[in-house]
Coordinates of all heavy atoms in Angstrom, one line a residue:
K28 N 2.6 2.5 14.7 CA 3.4 1.4 15.4 C 2.8 0.1 14.9 O 3.6 -0.9 14.5 CB 3.3 1.6 16.9 CG 4.0 0.4 17.7 CD 3.8 0.7 19.0 CE 4.5 -0.4 20.0 NZ 4.5 -0.1 21.5
R29 N 1.4 0.0 14.8 CA 0.8 -1.2 14.4 C 1.2 -1.5 12.9 O 1.4 -2.7 12.6 CB -0.8 -1.0 14.5 CG -1.6 -2.1 14.0 CD -1.6 -3.3 15.1 NE -2.6 -4.2 14.7 CZ -2.3 -5.6 15.0 NH1 -1.2 -6.0 15.6 NH2 -3.1 -6.4 14.6
R30 N 1.1 -0.5 12.1 CA 1.5 -0.7 10.7 C 2.9 -1.3 10.5 O 3.2 -2.2 9.7 CB 1.3 0.6 9.9 CG -0.1 1.0 9.6 CD -0.7 0.3 8.5 NE 0.0 0.4 7.3 CZ -0.3 1.3 6.3 NH1 -1.3 2.1 6.5 NH2 0.3 1.4 5.3
N31 N 3.8 -0.7 11.3 CA 5.2 -1.3 11.3 C 5.3 -2.7 11.7 O 6.1 -3.4 11.2 CB 6.1 -0.3 12.1 CG 6.4 1.0 11.6 OD1 6.3 1.2 10.3 ND2 6.8 2.0 12.4
L32 N 4.5 -3.0 12.7 CA 4.6 -4.4 13.3 C 4.1 -5.4 12.2 O 4.6 -6.4 11.9 CB 3.7 -4.5 14.4 CG 3.5 -5.9 15.2 CD1 4.9 -6.3 15.7 CD2 2.4 -5.8 16.2
I33 N 2.9 -5.0 11.4 CA 2.5 -5.9 10.4 C 3.5 -5.9 9.2 O 3.7 -6.9 8.7 CB 1.1 -5.3 10.0 CG1 0.1 -5.6 11.1 CG2 0.6 -6.1 8.8 CD1 -1.3 -5.0 10.9
A34 N 4.0 -4.7 8.9 CA 5.1 -4.7 7.8 C 6.3 -5.5 8.0 O 6.8 -6.1 7.2 CB 5.4 -3.2 7.6
E35 N 6.6 -5.6 9.3 CA 7.8 -6.4 9.6 C 7.5 -7.8 9.3 O 8.4 -8.6 8.9 CB 8.1 -6.3 11.3 CG 9.2 -7.2 11.7 CD 10.5 -6.7 11.5 OE1 10.5 -5.5 11.1 OE2 11.4 -7.4 11.6
K36 N 6.3 -8.4 9.5 CA 6.0 -9.7 9.1 C 6.2 -9.9 7.7 O 6.7 -11.0 7.1 CB 4.6 -10.2 9.6 CG 4.3 -10.2 11.1 CD 2.8 -10.4 11.3 CE 2.6 -10.5 12.8 NZ 3.0 -11.8 13.4
A37 N 5.7 -8.9 7.0 CA 5.8 -9.1 5.4 C 7.2 -9.0 4.9 O 7.6 -9.7 4.0 CB 4.9 -7.9 4.8
Y38 N 8.1 -8.1 5.5 CA 9.4 -8.0 5.1 C 10.2 -9.3 5.3 O 11.1 -9.5 4.7 CB 10.0 -6.8 5.8 CG 9.8 -5.4 5.2 CD1 9.1 -4.5 5.9 CD2 10.1 -5.2 3.9 CE1 8.9 -3.1 5.3 CE2 9.9 -3.9 3.3 CZ 9.3 -2.9 4.0 OH 9.0 -1.7 3.5
R39 N 9.8 -10.0 6.4 CA 10.6 -11.2 6.8 C 10.0 -12.5 5.8 O 10.7 -13.4 5.8 CB 10.3 -11.5 8.1 CG 10.9 -10.7 9.2 CD 10.4 -11.1 10.6 NE 11.0 -10.2 11.5 CZ 12.2 -10.4 12.1 NH1 13.0 -11.3 11.7 NH2 12.7 -9.6 13.1
F40 N 9.0 -12.2 5.1 CA 8.4 -13.4 4.3 C 9.2 -13.5 3.0 O 9.6 -12.6 2.3 CB 6.9 -13.0 4.1 CG 6.3 -14.1 3.1 CD1 5.9 -15.2 3.6 CD2 6.2 -13.8 1.8 CE1 5.3 -16.3 2.8 CE2 5.6 -14.8 0.9 CZ 5.1 -15.9 1.5
N41 N 9.4 -14.8 2.7 CA 10.0 -15.1 1.4 C 9.0 -16.2 0.7 O 8.4 -16.9 1.4 CB 11.3 -15.8 1.5 CG 12.4 -14.8 2.0 OD1 12.6 -13.8 1.2 ND2 13.0 -15.0 3.0
I42 N 8.9 -16.1 -0.7 CA 8.0 -17.1 -1.3 C 8.4 -18.4 -1.0 O 9.5 -18.9 -1.0 CB 8.1 -16.9 -2.8 CG1 7.7 -15.4 -3.3 CG2 7.2 -18.0 -3.5 CD1 6.3 -15.1 -3.0
G43 N 7.4 -19.2 -0.5 CA 7.6 -20.6 0.0 C 7.5 -20.8 1.5 O 7.3 -21.7 2.0
D44 N 7.6 -19.6 2.2 CA 7.5 -19.6 3.6 C 6.1 -19.8 4.0 O 5.1 -19.5 3.2 CB 7.9 -18.3 4.2 CG 9.4 -18.0 4.2 OD1 10.1 -19.1 3.8 OD2 9.8 -17.0 4.5
R45 N 5.8 -20.2 5.2 CA 4.4 -20.2 5.7 C 3.9 -18.7 5.8 O 4.6 -17.8 6.3 CB 4.3 -20.9 7.0 CG 3.0 -21.0 7.6 CD 3.0 -21.8 9.0 NE 3.3 -23.2 8.8 CZ 3.5 -24.0 9.7 NH1 3.2 -23.6 11.1 NH2 3.8 -25.2 9.5
I46 N 2.6 -18.5 5.4 CA 2.1 -17.2 5.4 C 1.9 -16.7 6.8 O 1.3 -17.4 7.6 CB 0.8 -17.0 4.7 CG1 0.9 -17.5 3.3 CG2 0.2 -15.5 4.7 CD1 1.7 -16.8 2.4
P47 N 2.4 -15.6 7.2 CA 2.3 -15.2 8.6 C 0.9 -14.7 9.0 O 0.2 -14.0 8.2 CB 3.3 -13.9 8.7 CG 3.4 -13.4 7.3 CD 3.3 -14.7 6.5
R48 N 0.5 -15.1 10.2 CA -0.8 -14.7 10.6 C -0.6 -13.3 11.4 O 0.3 -13.0 12.0 CB -1.4 -15.8 11.6 CG -1.6 -17.1 11.0 CD -2.2 -18.1 12.0 NE -3.6 -17.8 12.2 CZ -4.6 -18.4 11.4 NH1 -4.3 -19.3 10.5 NH2 -5.8 -18.1 11.7
V49 N -1.7 -12.5 11.3 CA -1.8 -11.3 12.0 C -2.9 -11.3 13.0 O -4.0 -11.6 12.8 CB -2.1 -10.1 11.0 CG1 -2.3 -8.8 11.8 CG2 -0.9 -9.9 10.0
E50 N -2.6 -11.1 14.3 CA -3.5 -11.1 15.4 C -4.3 -9.7 15.3 O -3.8 -8.8 16.0 CB -2.9 -11.4 16.7 CG -2.3 -12.8 16.8 CD -3.3 -13.9 16.4 OE1 -4.5 -13.8 16.9 OE2 -2.8 -14.8 15.7
Y51 N -5.4 -9.6 14.6 CA -6.0 -8.4 14.6 C -6.7 -8.0 16.0 O -7.2 -8.9 16.7 CB -7.1 -8.3 13.4 CG -6.5 -8.5 12.1 CD1 -6.5 -9.8 11.5 CD2 -5.9 -7.4 11.4 CE1 -5.8 -9.9 10.2 CE2 -5.3 -7.5 10.3 CZ -5.3 -8.8 9.6 OH -4.7 -8.9 8.4
T52 N -6.8 -6.6 16.1 CA -7.4 -6.1 17.4 C -8.9 -6.0 17.2 O -9.4 -6.2 16.1 CB -6.9 -4.8 17.7 OG1 -7.3 -3.9 16.7 CG2 -5.3 -4.7 17.7
E53 N -9.7 -5.8 18.4 CA -11.1 -5.9 18.4 C -11.4 -4.5 17.5 O -12.5 -4.6 16.8 CB -11.6 -5.7 19.7 CG -11.6 -7.0 20.5 CD -12.3 -8.1 19.7 OE1 -13.4 -8.0 19.3 OE2 -11.7 -9.2 19.6
E54 N -10.7 -3.6 17.6 CA -11.1 -2.3 16.8 C -10.8 -2.7 15.4 O -11.7 -2.2 14.5 CB -10.1 -1.2 17.2 CG -10.5 0.2 16.6 CD -9.6 1.3 17.1 OE1 -8.3 1.2 16.9 OE2 -10.1 2.2 17.7
E55 N -9.9 -3.4 14.9 CA -9.7 -3.7 13.5 C -10.8 -4.7 13.0 O -11.3 -4.6 11.9 CB -8.3 -4.4 13.4 CG -7.2 -3.3 13.5 CD -5.8 -4.0 13.6 OE1 -5.8 -5.2 14.0 OE2 -4.9 -3.3 13.3
H56 N -11.2 -5.6 13.8 CA -12.3 -6.4 13.5 C -13.6 -5.7 13.3 O -14.4 -6.0 12.4 CB -12.5 -7.6 14.6 CG -11.5 -8.6 14.6 ND1 -11.1 -9.3 13.5 CD2 -10.9 -9.2 15.6 CE1 -10.2 -10.3 13.7 NE2 -10.0 -10.2 15.1
K57 N -13.8 -4.7 14.2 CA -15.0 -3.8 14.1 C -14.9 -3.0 12.7 O -16.1 -2.9 12.1 CB -15.0 -2.8 15.3 CG -16.2 -2.0 15.3 CD -16.2 -1.0 16.5 CE -17.5 0.0 16.4 NZ -17.3 1.0 17.6
T58 N -13.8 -2.5 12.4 CA -13.7 -1.8 11.1 C -14.0 -2.7 10.0 O -14.8 -2.3 9.0 CB -12.3 -1.2 11.0 OG1 -12.1 -0.2 12.0 CG2 -12.2 -0.5 9.6
W59 N -13.5 -3.9 10.0 CA -13.7 -5.0 8.9 C -15.1 -5.2 8.8 O -15.8 -5.1 7.8 CB -13.0 -6.2 9.2 CG -13.4 -7.4 8.4 CD1 -14.3 -8.3 8.9 CD2 -13.0 -7.8 7.1 NE1 -14.4 -9.3 7.9 CE2 -13.7 -9.0 6.8 CE3 -12.1 -7.2 6.2 CZ2 -13.6 -9.6 5.6 CZ3 -12.0 -7.9 5.0 CH2 -12.7 -9.1 4.7
S60 N -15.8 -5.5 10.0 CA -17.3 -5.9 9.9 C -18.1 -4.7 9.4 O -19.1 -4.9 8.7 CB -17.7 -6.2 11.4 OG -19.0 -6.7 11.5
E61 N -17.9 -3.5 9.8 CA -18.6 -2.2 9.4 C -18.4 -2.0 7.9 O -19.5 -1.8 7.2 CB -18.1 -1.1 10.2 CG -18.9 0.3 10.0 CD -18.4 1.4 10.8 OE1 -17.4 1.2 11.5 OE2 -18.9 2.5 10.6
V62 N -17.3 -2.1 7.4 CA -17.1 -1.9 6.0 C -17.6 -3.1 5.1 O -18.3 -2.7 4.1 CB -15.6 -1.7 5.6 CG1 -15.4 -1.6 4.2 CG2 -15.1 -0.6 6.3
L63 N -17.5 -4.2 5.6 CA -18.0 -5.3 4.7 C -19.5 -5.3 4.7 O -20.1 -5.7 3.6 CB -17.5 -6.7 5.5 CG -17.7 -8.0 4.7 CD1 -16.9 -8.0 3.4 CD2 -17.5 -9.2 5.5
A64 N -20.2 -4.9 5.8 CA -21.7 -4.9 5.7 C -22.1 -3.8 4.7 O -23.0 -4.1 3.9 CB -22.2 -4.5 7.1
K65 N -21.4 -2.7 4.6 CA -21.8 -1.7 3.7 C -21.5 -2.1 2.3 O -22.3 -1.9 1.4 CB -21.0 -0.4 4.0 CG -21.4 0.8 3.1 CD -22.8 1.3 3.5 CE -23.0 2.6 2.7 NZ -24.4 3.0 3.0

Side-chain angles (χ1 to χ4, degrees):
K28 181 180 178 181
R29 177 73 174 151
R30 286 284 297 267
N31 284 338
L32 179 65
I33 295 173
E35 177 76 17
K36 293 177 179 288
Y38 278 121
R39 291 175 181 274
F40 175 81
N41 290 301
I42 300 296
D44 291 350
R45 180 177 296 180
I46 305 294
R48 300 181 75 90
V49 175
E50 297 303 320
Y51 293 100
T52 66
E53 286 305 310
E54 186 171 64
E55 288 169 335
H56 287 310
K57 181 180 178 183
T58 298
W59 164 266
S60 183
E61 185 178 0
V62 176
L63 192 64
K65 185 68 174 177

